[in-house]
Amino acid sequence: MSIKLAVLVSGRGSNLEAILKAIQEGRLDAAVEVVLSNNPGALALEIARKYGVPAVVVESKRLSRQEHEERLLECLDRFSVEYVVLAGYMRVLTPHFLQRFRDRRGYYRVINIHPSLLPAFPGKSAYEDAFAHGVRLSGITVHLVDDLVDHGPILAQEAFPRLDDDTLEAFKERGLAVEHRLYPAVLEAIARTGINLLPRASSQEVLSK
Ligand code: GRF
């Protein structure tokens, strides 16, 4: 079943473009109803316009977090949106915003892509942190957003290697290629079968079984 998305962006927009391209090529049964950015200079806005998608700036400057989220929600109310997709959106969303997208099971229909194998290397500079740590293997995680940063239930992960002679740039480029394939594929899986998660339990619960 086709799903209706809002994509939130702050910058370059390469994941947004991968999603729009997958829709255009029939690999993803979805529609991007609106692209929202907190940054008026985001290149992602140009990409949205190129694909004929409404692109709206909701600036965060001089607003409290709650006021900004209220404005985002007011804007989203004008569209029919089933899932919010974060694609390089550089602001943390609070429960105030997330509650609006709560499903019957208590999950938020808000999805994020993060460039590490979570729970390793959360935060804004995951590529740099993994590279600096000297990992041999890193990866990409697509997950549901919860009340903590880079933390919610994992939808999909795909690993990629750090090769001996990699520069940071080469390492990032390998990861981005994975991002651009994985994000549309996960959204397509949601369009087909909804949100599928592995059961989550504390290690105590697992040990006592
Ligand atoms: C990507 O690396 C994504 O994983 C992270 O922010 C970056 C956004 O890049 N959350 P782009 O704007 O999609 O090109």
Side-chain angles (χ1 to χ4, degrees):
M1 202 174 58
S2 186
I3 48 174
K4 293 180 176 176
L5 313 175
V7 183
L8 268 55
V9 296
S10 300
R12 176 180 58 182
S14 68
N15 278 288
L16 169 68
E17 183 146 39
I19 291 166
L20 290 169
K21 209 161 167 228
I23 293 172
Q24 196 178 59
E25 293 173 0
R27 288 179 284 118
L28 169 55
D29 191 8
V32 177
E33 300 292 315
V34 61
V35 169
L36 287 174
S37 176
N38 63 310
N39 170 17
L43 284 175
L45 293 165
E46 295 306 313
I47 294 171
R49 293 186 188 113
K50 190 171 89 184
Y51 281 81
V53 174
V56 182
V57 177
V58 182
E59 271 205 73
S60 44
K61 262 193 224 152
R62 286 184 288 277
L63 294 181
S64 71
R65 198 168 282 280
Q66 178 141 351
E67 281 167 339
H68 182 243
E69 289 189 347
E70 258 323 303
R71 293 200 188 173
L72 283 179
L73 289 168
E74 279 164 21
C75 178
L76 287 169
D77 279 346
R78 304 207 304 270
F79 298 87
S80 133
V81 169
E82 294 170 286
Y83 293 91
V84 173
V85 174
L86 308 183
Y89 185 65
M90 299 310 286
R91 287 177 65 87
V92 172
L93 293 166
T94 75
H96 173 73
F97 178 95
L98 297 169
Q99 288 294 341
R100 188 74 73 92
F101 294 93
R102 205 179 156 95
D103 75 6
R104 273 179 281 126
R105 292 185 293 174
Y107 296 119
Y108 302 132
R109 283 176 284 106
V110 180
I111 302 160
N112 185 38
I113 188 162
H114 183 78
S116 74
L117 291 176
L118 288 174
F121 307 113
K124 280 183 185 166
S125 48
Y127 278 120
E128 289 77 4
D129 294 344
F131 189 86
H133 196 85
V135 297
R136 293 279 172 185
L137 196 66
S138 192
I140 304 299
T141 302
V142 179
H143 67 97
L144 292 180
V145 172
D146 70 3
D147 295 349
L148 302 173
V149 176
D150 297 331
H151 178 269
I154 290 171
L155 293 163
Q157 290 183 306
E158 188 175 324
F160 64 90
R162 149 98 183 258
L163 303 182
D164 285 349
D165 57 355
D166 265 356
T167 58
L168 173 61
E169 283 320 302
F171 177 69
K172 275 188 183 175
E173 207 178 297
R174 189 171 307 114
L176 262 183
V178 175
E179 293 195 38
H180 297 161
R181 193 174 58 247
L182 189 63
Y183 218 177
V186 172
L187 295 172
E188 170 62 11
I190 291 173
R192 280 172 188 243
T193 58
I195 287 175
N196 287 308
L197 299 166
L198 295 177
R200 239 180 161 190
S202 71
S203 25
Q204 282 309 318
E205 285 171 288
V206 174
L207 283 171
S208 66
K209 273 190 184 154

